[in-house]
Amino acid sequence: LGTFIAAAEAQTYPTRSITMIVPFAAGGPTDVVARIVTSHMAQTLGQSIIIENVVGAGGTTATTRAARAANDGYTLITGHMGTHAASVPLYPKLAYHPEKDFEPIALLAGTPILILARKDFPPKDLNEFVAYVKANAEKVNAAHAGVGSVSHVSCELLHSILDIKPVGVPFNGTGPAMNALVGGQVDYMCDQIVNAVPQINAGTIKAYAIATPERNPSLPNVPTTAEAGLPKFQAQAWNAMFAPKGTSPAVVASLNAAAVKALDDETVRKRLLELGSVIPGPAERTPESLAALVKNEIAKWTPVLKPAT
Ligand code: MLT
């Protein structure tokens, strides 16, 4: 009977619009990736997918809401390395557990981290940046998207390498943080590439380095941290789609198939690549591989972040 019900559900789901919770402000990297992928998924599924930006507490407010939502496939979340890994060591009272309270659907994008600064920040290159922030650690500030967000965690890693503790300036997402960087109200930020490519190309901010082993094709002139003199700073985040625990395997399979189809679509791929994302290969798109990623990322970040709390 169970198999029969699951098969019937797979044939009918979805019968109404789906809400996709995005745990940060509109216009930031999570929002942008979610919108690109879900607009294609909506065509496949034959129902609209409505993005709901729910901000606060480094994405954990929204993720708590998603964990508690009905597990009927009509409320989903696009989470990331912060909400589904770094939050575990950073929030001792976290009201959800990324592994226990969600059904992984699919990895959507890898998002390399860049060290960015306001256009008129004095250092000209990464070596000068390192010297400057070390000499002025009490004066400089770093924008981020709340404790446990990717921008926060990435700059925590950078700061621990440089052995400094500058002031952090929290925003509801790196969309608004980027606006403040462009406006010169904050000094620097460790942000995901998706948010940065248009601004770097427009010359409204500076990019010192990309924290991945290779340069990114969307930013061929931005050196890697290794090339620029700080090889220890390596950071790449990711965005992925999850459903509340107990969502039926048939629904998860439909959503996964729609996400995979979106990642194979030429227009979706072009848009994600233009923004510097790394598109997951076939083996990385399964719910099982996302479950393994979440597990590994929690294990990776817990010892790095625990001493800071
Ligand atoms: C966002 O979408 O605003 C970012 O992913 C926030 C972050 O984690 O830095």
Side-chain angles (χ1 to χ4, degrees):
L1 184 66
T3 316
F4 177 74
I5 292 171
E9 196 177 29
Q11 273 164 22
T12 53
Y13 172 83
T15 56
R16 57 186 167 88
S17 63
I18 297 167
T19 297
M20 175 62 72
I21 296 177
V22 166
F24 295 97
T30 318
D31 182 74
V32 168
V33 169
R35 282 177 200 269
I36 293 171
V37 178
T38 58
S39 65
H40 191 276
M41 287 176 71
Q43 293 167 33
T44 304
L45 294 166
Q47 292 289 343
S48 52
I49 302 181
I50 298 155
I51 302 279
E52 191 184 341
N53 299 88
V54 179
V55 301
T60 61
T61 303
T63 313
T64 302
R65 188 190 291 191
R68 291 176 180 164
N71 54 11
D72 55 8
Y74 292 97
T75 306
L76 311 172
I77 183 163
T78 298
H80 70 0
M81 188 201 90
T83 57
H84 283 72
S87 58
V88 173
L90 285 173
Y91 287 86
K93 294 193 179 135
L94 196 64
Y96 63 89
H97 192 284
E99 290 182 273
K100 295 186 195 121
D101 294 323
F102 290 93
E103 303 291 348
I105 297 171
L107 181 65
L108 305 180
T111 54
I113 303 295
L114 290 135
I115 304 172
L116 307 169
R118 61 179 160 84
K119 203 168 82 180
D120 52 359
F121 199 47
K124 286 196 287 298
D125 58 22
L126 189 61
N127 283 329
E128 284 190 19
F129 171 85
V130 168
Y132 187 88
V133 294
K134 281 183 147 201
N136 296 283
E138 261 109 77
K139 282 199 292 190
V140 296
N141 61 51
H144 63 73
V147 171
S149 65
V150 166
S151 42
H152 171 254
V153 168
S154 308
C155 259
E156 282 289 297
L157 184 63
L158 174 68
H159 296 154
S160 75
I161 293 167
L162 302 183
D163 197 22
I164 53 169
K165 284 198 191 320
V167 173
V169 185
F171 291 82
N172 280 332
T174 53
M178 179 61 79
N179 291 341
L181 196 67
V182 170
Q185 288 120 31
V186 289
D187 292 327
Y188 67 98
M189 171 158 73
C190 301
D191 198 11
Q192 296 164 78
I193 192 163
V194 173
N195 210 26
V197 170
Q199 298 297 349
I200 296 167
N201 288 339
T204 54
I205 58 170
K206 274 184 195 178
Y208 291 120
I210 185 162
T212 45
E214 307 287 339
R215 291 189 183 201
N216 190 284
S218 70
L219 293 171
N221 298 327
V222 174
T224 65
T225 44
E227 288 172 327
L230 196 60
K232 265 182 150 178
F233 183 55
Q234 296 290 326
Q236 175 165 303
W238 44 268
N239 290 122
M241 200 176 282
F242 299 85
K245 191 74 186 174
T247 303
S248 84
V251 167
V252 170
S254 294
L255 290 165
N256 175 270
V260 166
K261 199 168 172 193
L263 295 177
D264 280 336
D265 176 77
E266 272 319 305
T267 312
V268 169
R269 294 179 72 82
K270 184 167 174 284
R271 189 78 193 108
L272 287 173
L273 292 171
E274 271 168 5
L275 294 172
S277 314
V278 179
I279 299 176
E284 297 171 300
R285 299 175 186 178
T286 64
E288 294 74 25
S289 82
L290 177 54
L293 176 69
V294 169
K295 192 184 191 59
N296 292 341
E297 288 279 278
I298 293 172
K300 173 180 148 185
W301 286 104
T302 297
V304 176
L305 298 171
K306 218 132 217 158
T309 61

